[in-house]
Amino acid sequence: MNKYLERFLSRLYQFPVIIVLVLLLGVVALSTQLSKLHLDASADSLVLEGDKALQVYRSVNRKYGSEDFLIVTFSPRQGLFTQTVLDELSRLKTDFLALPDVSSVVSILDVPLLYSPPVKLSELSEGINYLANPDTDRSLAQAEFLHSPLYSQLLTSDNFDTTALQINLKRDERYFSLLSERDRLREKKNLGDFSEDDGRALRSAEKAFSEYSIQANLKQERLIDSARRVLDKYRDSGTFFLGGVPMIASDMIDFIENDLIVFGVGILIFIVLLLAVIFRSMTWIMLPLLTCIVTSLGMLGFIGLLDWKLTVISSNFVALLMIITLSINIHLAVRYRELSVSNSESNRRNASRSVTENGDMEKASNNNSRSALVLETVRFMARPCFYTAITTVVAFASLVVSGIRP
């Protein structure tokens, strides 16, 4: 085994330039797939396939067709029931209704007032009061918002310093249609009654849903940005907060992107400082640093090629990969330097002899010496580095096939 390994390494290291070019071309080819790398903050990325609670939720969603919604809280600087604030609230509602994916907006201006004054059932056909009506008694409306079981602590706070708006979003029927078809085929597969045609249909359904979910995420992100731009126009009149599941999902993707950047840059800085303290040499700073960057770019491109989406959990793999790569680099560098020191005496003797004979021979001798050191380093470290890497590979591969979704 050792004989074959040494023979392979000896032949391999006769072509260092070709090896480096092949590796770089491979990484460049994988880097072209970075555009296919997408982030996912949906329920699919955090729960198991066939999760019972998720199945119940989606079953109810299919049956009743509920819409997603955003919640905006508004704490005005003036009294909530003053005409100025109500006019501001009306304009805010109009701006939200102008957004392309908003179906309706519910605020204190739009809900029926049944006790301002009290209305009998027989009188409902004659008309219902709303706060937006100029003849509505606002003191009675305040009492209704405070004590009514329909509105209490849903539309206003107890001291009337904050109100809420519910922004209902148009239901994306195509999204739920693709999701339902994919889940139906998955359930059929789990039951065992599954043909080759069903398998092809499932792969097609999964691909269609995956591609459309990317578009849906982008559309939702644009909606959240638009909603925040609307709120920015009214910041002078009070304090606003935006909430809701769509906002959380959109912001979660932003958090993942931010984690990739922050942790990636942080690890790079850590690597530079650590290598500077340990080796105090620009060569031994740049070489491991470039190796870590190239490895991370290659792996990100490979994930994009496989069409795997990064989640809030798996996005941290970049930092982890850099740390593991750095540890292997440090082992190799330390071994190389140990061999260099142990051979320094003979190298100096050879170098002095070469100087007396021929300057070109000195250069060739130094190159041969470095190549021999590299070869000896790799020969000594190949097996421990391989075992270190393969145990990590097996550990993470087990997570891929274990069914543990994150």
Side-chain angles (χ1 to χ4, degrees), residues 257-299:
E257 292 176 344
N258 189 59
D259 282 350
L260 283 171
I261 296 172
V262 171
F263 282 109
V265 172
I267 288 296
L268 286 176
I269 295 173
F270 169 76
I271 288 173
V272 171
L273 293 176
L274 182 65
L275 294 174
V277 171
I278 294 175
F279 296 117
R280 303 179 185 276
S281 167
M282 185 58 67
T283 299
W284 296 113
I285 292 175
M286 295 306 299
L287 190 58
L289 183 63
L290 288 174
T291 306
C292 291
I293 293 174
V294 166
T295 303
S296 299
L297 286 176
M299 192 62 194

Side-chain angles (χ1 to χ4, degrees), residues 115 150 276 297:
Y115 299 96
L150 293 175
L297 286 176

Side-chain angles (χ1 to χ4, degrees), residues 73-133:
T73 63
F74 174 33
S75 300
R77 304 190 190 284
Q78 303 181 37
L80 177 59
F81 290 91
T82 61
Q83 190 61 45
T84 301
V85 172
L86 294 180
D87 290 342
E88 195 87 346
L89 199 59
S90 178
R91 289 192 293 272
L92 182 63
K93 173 190 170 183
T94 301
D95 287 347
F96 277 128
L97 285 172
L99 298 180
D101 295 310
V102 173
S103 61
S104 63
V105 177
V106 179
S107 69
I108 57 175
L109 299 174
D110 313 293
V111 295
L113 300 176
L114 304 179
Y115 299 96
S116 306
V119 180
K120 297 179 181 179
L121 288 176
S122 58
E123 299 173 347
L124 289 178
S125 59
E126 300 176 6
I128 300 176
N129 276 337
Y130 296 89
L131 187 59
N133 296 345

Side-chain angles (χ1 to χ4, degrees), residues 315-334:
S315 62
N316 293 313
F317 92 90
V318 174
L320 190 59
L321 180 62
M322 283 189 172
I323 292 171
I324 294 171
T325 307
L326 176 64
S327 68
I328 293 177
N329 273 268
I330 289 178
H331 286 309
L332 292 168
V334 169

Side-chain angles (χ1 to χ4, degrees), residues 344-404:
S344 59
E345 289 299 324
S346 60
N347 289 340
R348 278 198 295 269
R349 286 195 297 269
N350 292 335
S352 63
R353 190 179 303 115
S354 298
V355 168
T356 59
E357 295 176 1
N358 191 310
D360 293 336
M361 290 179 62
E362 176 192 5
K363 183 177 180 181
S365 176
N366 288 336
N367 289 337
N368 291 334
S369 177
R370 282 194 294 268
S371 297
L373 284 175
V374 170
L375 184 58
E376 179 61 27
T377 299
V378 175
R379 181 186 293 115
F380 183 84
M381 296 299 298
R383 184 172 294 177
C385 286
F386 171 76
Y387 286 134
T388 300
I390 198 65
T391 52
T392 307
V393 169
V394 171
F396 279 88
S398 69
L399 293 177
V400 174
V401 300
S402 66
I404 303 175

